[in-house]
């Protein structure tokens, strides 16, 4: 049986993939919103989730980048 992922799961997977495939990638909330075609509030929630998962860190400028191991 094929099941579809919930939208948030698909968006999280896509965003996680972007950061993993491009380790030097640095994005702001508005840039993520444009990249995924979503509202800025939703983009901020996605970034907060990836930050809580310890994949990302927020830099002084307010942008997000992959956390160094």
């Amino acid at each position: 049986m094929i099941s579809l992922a919930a939208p948030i799961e698909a968006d999280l997977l896509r965003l996680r993939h972007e950061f993993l495939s491009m380790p030097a990638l640095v994005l702001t909330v508005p840039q993520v919103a444009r990249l995924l075609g979503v509202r800025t509030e939703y983009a901020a929630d996605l970034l907060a989730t990836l930050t809580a998962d310890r994949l990302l860190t927020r830099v002084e400028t307010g942008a997000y980048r992959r956390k160094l191991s």
Side-chain angles (χ1 to χ4, degrees):
M1 172 185 222
I2 298 174
S3 64
L4 298 175
I8 191 164
E9 291 175 12
D11 291 337
L12 273 174
L13 286 173
R14 178 170 179 208
L15 191 55
R16 180 182 302 273
H17 172 74
E18 295 295 336
F19 279 103
L20 289 174
S21 64
M22 294 179 275
L25 183 64
V26 178
L27 293 174
T28 64
V29 172
Q31 289 171 326
V32 169
R34 280 193 303 273
L35 175 70
L36 299 177
V38 298
R39 294 177 299 125
T40 55
E41 296 85 1
Y42 181 65
D45 289 343
L46 293 172
L47 288 165
T49 299
L50 293 177
T51 301
D53 290 346
R54 297 183 175 199
L55 176 69
L56 303 180
T57 189
R58 190 170 182 211
V59 297
E60 301 81 32
T61 63
Y64 292 82
R65 67 167 173 78
R66 194 166 148 194
K67 192 170 186 173
L68 301 175
S69 298

